[in-house]
């Protein structure tokens, strides 16, 4: 449950950046047809559904910085997946000031503590989150059943249009076979406007999109930006349907259509008010103003708006590519800059440890399969898991022996860059057989005749250590 909660948090933070970008884009697109703003909210929905994405140089999230621990995974991890195992828990919010503020609230782990306080906080947070989800889901189900009960006596008018005296405003209801429900006694003029509006909702599958967005908001109920996004998306949805009515019936219906909206607003009932299933209940005053000011866009402006929309959608759904600086060239297979940036005092800093491993060469025939941290008491241990890639039949006892040297070299650098690491274990899984290597700090210091940690002081020292490891035979 804690892992799920961390994934939800990461998706929510990512979606928050995208939601702010969409809100700003709505201002830029204020003269565009509202269908463009409505479609743009799909980027927020994608971010709330999918924890991974493709990478692109054109990503608005580059402005927020690239969170640590995310390279190669397709995931942005503002909250490290192993934050509960870090000796000094830290978030990467994308901004230094916000990150420092949040990180200052996390208590450091006492060496004698049996439980990391952050693990307790995460567990409590996951329980509160789950409780909120259950409550809101129950509210939604009850609301749905309440509406279903009220329209069960409705009589058919034509096709999928039904009339009942139990409601005061029209709406679309149903998931599999949506129906349009209208209040009894509507005039023919009102009926032509409203049926076209509601049919537009059905044609665009809004009766599925809006409940889906509300379900995503339920999963992210703790994030006020998601509630605001839902409100604004609903507003754009309704205004784009209003525009469809004006385009279909002509500008001469603006006055009568606005009057219909105003009349329904004045006598709306409590049945659908505030319900996530309601259509036509959103910002009636703003909708009337928009209808009266609406002008048919030219084909040229529509083409321009479409191009802007595509660019914004790509920018909002893509993860930023890692920036490769000229100095980040490989040195004997090692990315020295990244190694120095991820230097840490604590073996429990999982994001830094993972970044160090990503900057080291991978021995032939192996694929990384995660890490395990032992930080409860001394000795502090790091276990690095690998799976054997035996596609070409190259993995054998000889190659196993040859892998020990590069693993030992990597261990020397890990002992150099992780101050309190005592033991580094390697577990190599090969179709039910596990090969194990273990290196201790005392063994490494004895091998090189000195404490290796001073080599990690700067780039020159780290390069000197790598050169030394390349020039000596580490194993008999």
């Amino acid at each position: 449950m804690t892992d799920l909660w961390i994934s939800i948090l990461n998706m929510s933070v990512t979606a928050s950046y995208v939601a702010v970008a969409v809100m700003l884009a709505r201002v830029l697109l204020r003269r565009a047809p509202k269908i463009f703003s409505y479609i743009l909210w799909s980027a927020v929905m994608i971010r709330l559904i999918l924890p991974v994405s493709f990478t692109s140089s054109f990503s608005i999230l580059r402005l927020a910085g690239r969170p640590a621990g995310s390279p190669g995974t397709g995931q942005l991890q503002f909250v490290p997946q192993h934050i509960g195992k870090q000796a000094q828990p830290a978030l990467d919010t994308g901004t230094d000031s916000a990150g420092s503020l949040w990180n200052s609230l996390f208590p450091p782990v006492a060496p004698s503590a049996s439980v990391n306080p952050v693990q307790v906080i995460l567990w409590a947070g996951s329980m509160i989150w789950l409780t909120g989800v259950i409550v809101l889901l129950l509210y939604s189900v009850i609301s749905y059943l309440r509406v279903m009960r009220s329209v069960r006596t409705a009589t058919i008018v034509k096709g999928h249009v039904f009339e009942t005296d139990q409601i005061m405003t029209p709406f679309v209801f149903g998931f599999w076979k949506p129906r349009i429900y209208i209040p009894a006694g509507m005039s023919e003029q009102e009926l032509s406007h409203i049926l076209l509006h509601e049919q537009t909702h059905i044609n665009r599958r809004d009766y599925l999109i809006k409940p889906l967005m509300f379900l995503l908001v339920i999963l992210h109920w703790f994030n006020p930006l998601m509630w605001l996004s839902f409100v604004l998306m609903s507003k754009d949805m309704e205004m784009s349907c209003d525009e469809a009515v004006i385009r279909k019936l002509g500008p001469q219906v603006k006055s009568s259509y606005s009057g219909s909206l105003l009349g329904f607003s004045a006598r709306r009932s409590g049945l659908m008010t505030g319900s996530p299933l309601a259509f036509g209940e959103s910002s009636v005053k703003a909708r009337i103003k928009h209808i009266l000011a609406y002008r048919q866009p030219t084909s040229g402006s529509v083409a321009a708006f479409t191009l802007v929309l595509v660019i914004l959608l790509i920018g909002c759904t893509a993860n930023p590519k890692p920036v490769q600086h000229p100095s980040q060239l490989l040195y004997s297979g090692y990315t020295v800059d990244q190694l120095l940036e991820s230097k840490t005092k604590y073996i429990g800093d999982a994001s830094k440890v993972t970044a160090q491993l990503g900057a080291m060469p991978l021995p032939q025939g192996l694929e990384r399969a995660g890490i395990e941290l032992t930080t409860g008491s001394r000795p502090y241990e790091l276990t690095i898991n690998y799976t054997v890639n035996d596609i070409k039949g190259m993995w054998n006892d000889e190659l196993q022996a040859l892998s020990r040297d590069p693993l030992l070299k990597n261990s020397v650098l890990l002992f150099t860059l992780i101050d309190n690491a005592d033991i580094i274990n390697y577990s190599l899984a090969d179709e039910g057989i596990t090969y194990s290597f273990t290196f201790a700090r005392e063994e490494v210091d004895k091998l090189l005749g000195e404490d290796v940690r001073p080599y990690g002081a700067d780039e020159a020292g780290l390069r000197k250590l790598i050169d030394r490891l390349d020039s000596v035979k580490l194993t008999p």
Side-chain angles (χ1 to χ4, degrees), residues 212-280:
L212 174 60
M213 182 59 175
F214 189 73
L215 178 60
L216 294 174
V217 171
I218 288 177
L219 292 177
H220 299 263
W221 62 264
F222 53 89
N223 188 338
L225 276 175
M226 296 305 101
W227 289 98
L228 178 58
S229 297
F230 178 75
V231 171
L232 293 177
M233 188 202 79
S234 300
K235 183 177 179 180
D236 290 339
M237 175 190 292
E238 293 302 332
M239 286 186 175
S240 64
C241 281
D242 294 335
E243 291 174 350
V245 173
I246 302 303
R247 286 196 304 270
K248 183 74 173 179
L249 300 181
Q252 67 275 7
V253 302
K254 286 183 178 182
S255 179
S256 57
Y257 183 52
S258 299
S260 297
L261 289 181
L262 185 61
F264 286 125
S265 174
R267 61 178 186 264
R268 73 171 62 176
S269 67
L271 179 62
M272 293 294 287
T273 303
S275 171
L277 303 174
F279 292 104

Side-chain angles (χ1 to χ4, degrees), residues 123-334:
W123 179 85
S126 67
M127 292 299 102
I128 294 172
W129 165 73
L130 183 60
T131 301
V133 170
I134 292 173
V135 169
L136 288 170
L137 282 175
L138 286 174
Y139 160 76
S140 300
V141 171
I142 292 172
S143 297
Y144 185 85
L145 294 176
R146 184 183 171 201
V147 175
M148 182 183 292
R149 181 179 179 182
S150 297
V151 299
R152 64 183 178 182
T153 58
T155 57
I156 188 169
V157 177
K158 59 178 179 178
H160 55 278
V161 181
F162 289 76
E163 183 181 62
T164 175
D165 59 359
Q166 298 299 307
I167 61 174
M168 301 299 291
T169 56
F171 55 83
V172 175
F173 186 72
F175 295 121
W176 313 119
K177 294 182 178 180
R179 296 176 173 180
I180 299 174
Y181 289 92
I182 59 175
M186 286 183 62
S187 67
E188 286 298 323
Q189 185 181 54
E190 286 180 328
L191 192 59
S192 63
H193 300 160
I194 298 307
L195 288 184
L196 182 55
H197 179 101
E198 302 301 339
Q199 187 60 47
T200 303
H201 281 307
I202 293 177
N203 294 342
R204 298 191 321 193
R205 304 295 188 270
D206 289 342
Y207 61 90
L208 297 177
I209 295 173
K210 190 172 184 179
L212 174 60
M213 182 59 175
F214 189 73
L215 178 60
L216 294 174
V217 171
I218 288 177
L219 292 177
H220 299 263
W221 62 264
F222 53 89
N223 188 338
L225 276 175
M226 296 305 101
W227 289 98
L228 178 58
S229 297
F230 178 75
V231 171
L232 293 177
M233 188 202 79
S234 300
K235 183 177 179 180
D236 290 339
M237 175 190 292
E238 293 302 332
M239 286 186 175
S240 64
C241 281
D242 294 335
E243 291 174 350
V245 173
I246 302 303
R247 286 196 304 270
K248 183 74 173 179
L249 300 181
Q252 67 275 7
V253 302
K254 286 183 178 182
S255 179
S256 57
Y257 183 52
S258 299
S260 297
L261 289 181
L262 185 61
F264 286 125
S265 174
R267 61 178 186 264
R268 73 171 62 176
S269 67
L271 179 62
M272 293 294 287
T273 303
S275 171
L277 303 174
F279 292 104
E281 295 283 323
S282 176
S283 306
V284 173
K285 182 179 179 181
R287 287 173 60 191
I288 292 175
K289 287 184 177 180
H290 181 73
I291 290 168
L292 297 177
Y294 176 71
R295 296 291 182 271
Q296 182 82 12
T298 63
S299 57
S301 63
V302 170
F305 290 138
T306 301
L307 179 61
V308 172
L309 176 66
V310 171
I311 293 173
L312 288 172
L313 283 175
I314 294 174
C316 288
T317 54
N319 288 344
K321 281 186 176 179
V323 179
Q324 295 294 335
H325 300 289
S327 59
Q328 286 186 318
L329 300 176
L330 293 180
Y331 187 79
S332 294
Y334 294 91

Side-chain angles (χ1 to χ4, degrees), residues 353-371:
V353 173
T354 302
Q356 290 178 24
L357 292 173
M360 296 180 178
L362 189 64
Q364 184 181 9
L366 301 181
E367 293 181 357
R368 293 190 180 92
I371 64 173

Side-chain angles (χ1 to χ4, degrees), residues 75-87:
Q75 248 178 314
L76 296 179
Q77 294 185 9
F78 297 91
V79 183
Q81 201 68 35
H82 300 287
I83 190 172
K85 297 180 180 179
Q86 294 180 0

